[in-house]
Amino acid sequence: MLHPRARTMLVLSVPAVIIGVFSSLILIVVMKVASILQTFLWVTLPARFGMNINSPIWILLTLTLTGVAVGLVIRYMPGHAGPDPATEPLIGAPVPVMALPGLILALILGLSGGVSLGPEHPIMAVNIALAVAIGARILPKVGSLDWTILAAAGTIGALFGTPVAAALIFSQMLNGSSEVPMWDRLFAPLMAAAAGALTTGFFFDPDFSLPVEQYAELHVVDIFSGAVVAAIAIALGMVAVWCLPHAHRLMHKLKHPVLVLGAGGFVLGLLGLVGGEVTLFKGLDEMRQLGTANYAVGTLLMFAVVKLAALVVASACGFRGGRIFPVVFVGVALGMMLHQHVEAVPAAITISCAILGLVLVVTRDGWLSLFMAMAVVPDIKLLPLLCIVMLPAWLLLAGKPVMMVDRHND
């Protein structure tokens, strides 16, 4: 009774659901293990020595040893824990399966040790590698690109707890044709994303929202204010883009991964001494701390600069992790600072537009930038303003370098 097009879409529906579920389960297990280890490293262990999480000695020692540990994993584990994330896009080619244990271990150590990177890139790499390797055995007629898309969609759905982000991202990647409409090609990825999001929802709710006063109504002056905020965020982000390849080249002059990561961990420890505990880790829980505390303008600016510097250092040294979660923290800190500096501009505008600008710098994905801005400040009245602000922001970034290291020139 079904049209051949419908039967074609249904072929990958079951694998898509399975991939989405397991993409979420892998994320949940890794995050749970990292959380347990983080509690041990930053609560249980320092308490035994009469210290606390903000002890300068503990911050410096823990991050340095975390760097050494990750360096040992990268040097001696099979596959060297996958490629350097600084040279890879979020959704890349499948890595060898033999590299996955080292990649997972390096990610867990970095997340628990306080490194300013998120879980998205390594988890994406793990899920894509497993989907391609297992899928090629079960359904060899399905190409590796299809498995990659399903695993990426399932992972995005699991990370954000909703298939909306995956729908937005893949709607621009899976361009339709006269023979195959876009929604035909989007069907299976959305199934994977929905399965990943629902599975994550059974265990925890990945809530990114902050308690920000609702935006009243759109005014023309708010468009100009939002565009200025986005431009400031883009300028700050482009400083990080410029610094990354130089820092990467400088750190890798040490050659040996243990020395590179150990030195990087030490520098992250020094930055942690300046910014304190709130500038450590991936930034999601710490972002909520910013939303519930009343920090001064100078303190918020310091948080933003220190976190961005830590993100550059962690990426340059080769720590396994992603850049979206920490840069959202930077956007929140910058947005709150700008609101306090000019209180006439609502916090909903400054925070959402700062996030939009910074995520746009890091990802060059307009849909993901809009999604992250709306996820943190979930106010539908902001959507028209953000769509308009996106236009000059995109013009500013047209043709500019991306936040990635060219492995051939570095």
Side-chain angles (χ1 to χ4, degrees), residues 2 35 45 51 53 98 111-113 136 140 175 188 190 201-202 215 224 232 237 247 249 279 300 311 329 333 367 372:
L2 292 175
S35 176
L45 202 56
M51 298 182 181
I53 193 172
M98 65 180 298
L111 289 174
S112 60
N175 294 320
L190 272 181
F202 284 125
Y215 181 58
F224 290 99
I232 293 171
R249 191 177 302 113
T279 59
L300 289 167
L311 169 60
F329 173 95
W367 288 126
M372 293 308 305

Side-chain angles (χ1 to χ4, degrees), residues 93-326:
V95 302
V97 175
M98 65 180 298
L100 299 188
L103 180 56
I104 293 173
L105 182 56
L107 171 61
I108 290 173
L109 290 171
L111 289 174
S112 60
V115 176
S116 292
L117 291 173
E120 59 273 19
H121 185 276
I123 291 294
M124 185 76 73
V126 169
N127 289 339
I128 288 174
L130 290 176
V132 170
I134 297 172
R137 290 179 175 272
I138 298 175
L139 294 173
K141 291 184 179 180
V142 179
S144 62
L145 179 59
D146 294 311
W147 295 121
T148 297
I149 291 171
L150 292 180
T155 305
I156 293 170
L159 280 166
F160 300 116
T162 172
V164 173
L168 294 173
I169 292 172
F170 286 102
S171 65
Q172 64 185 6
M173 293 178 63
L174 303 176
N175 294 320
S177 65
S178 57
E179 294 81 15
V180 184
M182 183 192 71
W183 278 96
D184 283 22
R185 303 182 68 184
L186 202 57
F187 186 84
L190 272 181
M191 291 282 286
L198 290 172
T199 304
T200 297
F202 284 125
F203 295 91
F204 64 93
D205 180 19
D207 183 16
F208 294 84
S209 62
L210 290 179
V212 180
E213 184 178 350
Q214 279 200 322
Y215 181 58
E217 60 178 314
L218 180 64
H219 298 94
V220 175
V221 68
D222 293 338
I223 296 174
F224 290 99
S225 300
V228 170
V229 171
I232 293 171
I234 288 171
L236 182 62
M238 288 306 297
V239 172
V241 170
W242 181 86
C243 289
L244 179 59
H246 297 285
H248 190 273
R249 191 177 302 113
L250 177 65
M251 296 303 298
H252 282 77
K253 286 183 178 180
L254 295 175
K255 303 295 184 184
H256 199 285
V258 177
L259 293 177
V260 175
L261 273 299
F266 180 75
V267 175
L268 290 177
L270 294 177
L271 290 170
L273 297 183
V274 177
E277 176 267 339
V278 74
T279 59
L280 303 180
F281 308 104
K282 64 181 181 292
L284 180 57
D285 295 332
E286 293 71 27
M287 177 186 77
R288 296 193 185 97
Q289 293 182 36
L290 295 182
T292 56
N294 187 22
Y295 292 107
V297 171
T299 302
L300 289 167
L301 179 60
M302 181 267 292
F303 286 161
V305 173
V306 168
K307 187 69 172 181
L308 194 60
L311 169 60
V312 171
V313 171
S315 300
C317 295
F319 281 99
R320 281 9 184 194
R323 298 188 279 272
I324 296 175
F325 284 78

